[in-house]
Amino acid sequence: MEFEEKTVQRTEIYQGPIFKVVTDQVELPQGKGLAQRDLIFHNGAVAVIALTPEDRMILVKQYRKAIEATSYEIPAGKLELGENADPKAAALRELEEETGYRGRLELVYDFYSAIGFCNEKIKLYSASYLTKVDNPRPQDEDETLEIVEVTLEEARELLASGDICDAKTIMALQYWEAKMNK
Amino acid sequence: MEFEEKTVQRTEIYQGPIFKVVTDQVELPQGKGLAQRDLIFHNGAVAVIALTPEDRMILVKQYRKAIEATSYEIPAGKLELGENADPKAAALRELEEETGYRGRLELVYDFYSAIGFCNEKIKLYSASYLTKVDNPRPQDEDETLEIVEVTLEEARELLASGDICDAKTIMALQYWEAKMNK
């Protein structure tokens, strides 16, 4: 079966610091005619499941303008241009900047966050051998973060209350639950 | 601690059929000055974990223009305007349109797909009591879909090969794995 949608014309709508917006006119497969595809291009991101030796997950409370609310999320950050070659280093940097911890990272999942219209790919790592850094890298200037360490029970409560509400953090909780049941 | 970022000015960049793009100038908390937030507003979506009585998951193979590739995903669709009041009905419609199955739905997670810049919220349901519909609703005209039913082992292989590569479908696999381990 033929699936490909060939680009007939691409119009760039916006190029911003975080993402680019384009509108494609595409030719549908199987002679189905033309259609419009609005797309977001994003450089990708990294996120880290960080469990302390005391079996607590490190979460970051922060304000998210897109939803006009705070949420609790696993440490994460977008890849800067040029960082795609070494996403693990970027993940270590984010972990240290946001939480003051260093660790050893292993890739768990590599996934598109919103595949229907956006190419943002998130590399989700699990960190082990976590140690506190004496003089951690400073946080980004425009971020206001509060770091918390929660038990699995507390994490479940944050999920139930809606304070944990994003895909990557829920995936991290599912990963944690599965690990505890092994 | 103060977290809120107050909007000083909002500029609408683009209003398309699927999402709207705005640029906000915000006032950071704690007197940290101004910053720019580029945001995508989306009406939300629904997705369905559909396991057949034979313990196979129903997946939809489709082309995704944002990544210029096909992927295998759980049945899903965006909420049309006015459907927010009854997302479960929308999920049932998507399930029937895409797969020809009806079932009973239960909410599993309600999450933001890309909380850093987008307010798309996905309601992820689990379907039980699946039955084939004799004359299912037709698929959307601009969609080319292939329906497959896979075992857990086959799903794991699709994940390993990168054919399953999006957040909601990986969350569905995690849910399935957890269910099998109960």
Side-chain angles (χ1 to χ4, degrees):
Chain A
M1 194 148 93
E2 170 97 35
F3 283 93
E4 194 188 343
E5 301 179 348
K6 293 201 182 70
T7 307
V8 177
Q9 190 176 12
R10 169 163 295 179
T11 309
E12 190 173 313
I13 305 283
Y14 177 68
Q15 171 71 65
I18 312 291
F19 56 75
K20 177 159 94 171
V21 185
V22 309
T23 290
D24 280 5
Q25 289 297 328
V26 303
E27 191 186 324
L28 297 171
Q30 306 170 17
K32 287 184 188 172
L34 299 173
Q36 177 178 337
R37 299 284 180 252
D38 286 357
L39 307 172
I40 308 288
F41 293 129
H42 185 286
N43 197 43
V46 290
V48 182
I49 304 169
L51 294 167
T52 69
E54 298 77 28
D55 259 330
R56 279 169 172 75
M57 186 175 277
I58 304 176
L59 296 178
V60 180
K61 181 182 177 184
Q62 63 197 300
Y63 191 77
R64 290 305 201 175
K65 190 65 187 170
I67 64 168
E68 299 282 4
T70 56
S71 74
Y72 288 82
E73 299 168 36
I74 57 173
K78 54 188 178 302
L79 291 171
E80 308 296 336
L81 281 175
E83 280 189 329
N84 297 63
D86 196 353
K88 199 184 265 197
L92 283 170
R93 176 180 51 74
E94 283 295 340
L95 181 67
E96 186 178 330
E97 277 181 13
E98 295 198 344
T99 73
Y101 276 98
R102 261 180 218 156
R104 199 178 298 175
L105 299 188
E106 220 176 309
L107 187 65
V108 177
Y109 296 119
D110 190 8
F111 62 90
Y112 294 102
S113 58
I115 196 170
F117 57 92
C118 176
N119 76 342
E120 184 197 31
K121 202 169 200 188
I122 300 183
K123 283 181 199 294
L124 177 62
Y125 295 93
S126 167
S128 51
Y129 304 99
L130 283 183
T131 52
K132 270 271 182 201
V133 179
D134 283 337
N135 296 299
R137 293 157 195 252
Q139 295 177 0
D140 285 346
E141 273 182 17
D142 70 345
E143 289 184 335
T144 300
L145 309 177
E146 184 180 325
I147 307 305
V148 296
E149 299 186 4
V150 300
T151 63
L152 183 51
E153 192 50 42
E154 289 165 340
R156 286 185 188 134
E157 284 163 16
L158 288 170
L159 179 64
S161 66
D163 291 295
I164 287 176
C165 58
D166 78 303
K168 66 181 179 306
T169 306
I170 294 175
M171 290 166 85
L173 286 196
Q174 288 182 297
Y175 173 89
W176 194 8
E177 298 258 11
K179 201 180 154 193
M180 298 301 274
N181 287 328
K182 259 182 195 157
Chain B
M1 195 148 92
E2 169 98 36
F3 284 93
E4 194 188 344
E5 301 178 349
K6 293 201 181 72
T7 307
V8 177
Q9 190 178 12
R10 169 162 295 179
T11 308
E12 190 174 313
I13 306 283
Y14 176 67
Q15 170 71 64
I18 312 292
F19 56 75
K20 177 158 94 169
V21 185
V22 308
T23 290
D24 279 4
Q25 289 296 328
V26 303
E27 192 185 325
L28 297 172
Q30 305 169 17
K32 287 184 186 172
L34 298 173
Q36 178 178 336
R37 299 284 180 249
D38 286 358
L39 307 172
I40 308 288
F41 293 129
H42 185 287
N43 196 44
V46 290
V48 182
I49 305 169
L51 293 167
T52 69
E54 297 78 29
D55 259 329
R56 280 169 171 73
M57 185 175 277
I58 304 176
L59 296 179
V60 180
K61 181 182 178 184
Q62 62 196 300
Y63 191 77
R64 290 305 202 175
K65 191 65 187 170
I67 65 166
E68 299 282 5
T70 56
S71 74
Y72 288 82
E73 299 168 36
I74 57 173
K78 54 189 177 301
L79 291 170
E80 308 297 336
L81 281 176
E83 281 189 327
N84 298 61
D86 195 354
K88 199 183 262 195
L92 283 170
R93 176 180 52 73
E94 283 295 339
L95 181 65
E96 186 178 331
E97 278 181 13
E98 296 198 343
T99 73
Y101 275 98
R102 262 182 217 153
R104 199 179 298 176
L105 300 188
E106 220 175 310
L107 188 65
V108 176
Y109 295 119
D110 191 8
F111 62 90
Y112 294 103
S113 56
I115 196 168
F117 57 92
C118 177
N119 76 342
E120 184 197 31
K121 200 168 201 188
I122 299 183
K123 282 179 197 297
L124 177 62
Y125 295 94
S126 167
S128 50
Y129 303 99
L130 283 183
T131 53
K132 269 272 181 200
V133 178
D134 282 337
N135 296 299
R137 294 158 195 251
Q139 294 178 0
D140 285 346
E141 272 181 18
D142 70 344
E143 288 183 336
T144 299
L145 309 176
E146 184 180 324
I147 307 304
V148 296
E149 298 186 5
V150 300
T151 63
L152 182 52
E153 192 49 43
E154 289 166 340
R156 285 184 188 135
E157 284 164 15
L158 288 171
L159 178 65
S161 66
D163 291 295
I164 287 176
C165 59
D166 78 303
K168 67 181 178 303
T169 306
I170 293 174
M171 290 167 83
L173 287 195
Q174 288 179 301
Y175 173 88
W176 194 9
E177 298 258 11
K179 202 180 153 195
M180 298 300 274
N181 287 329
K182 260 182 194 159

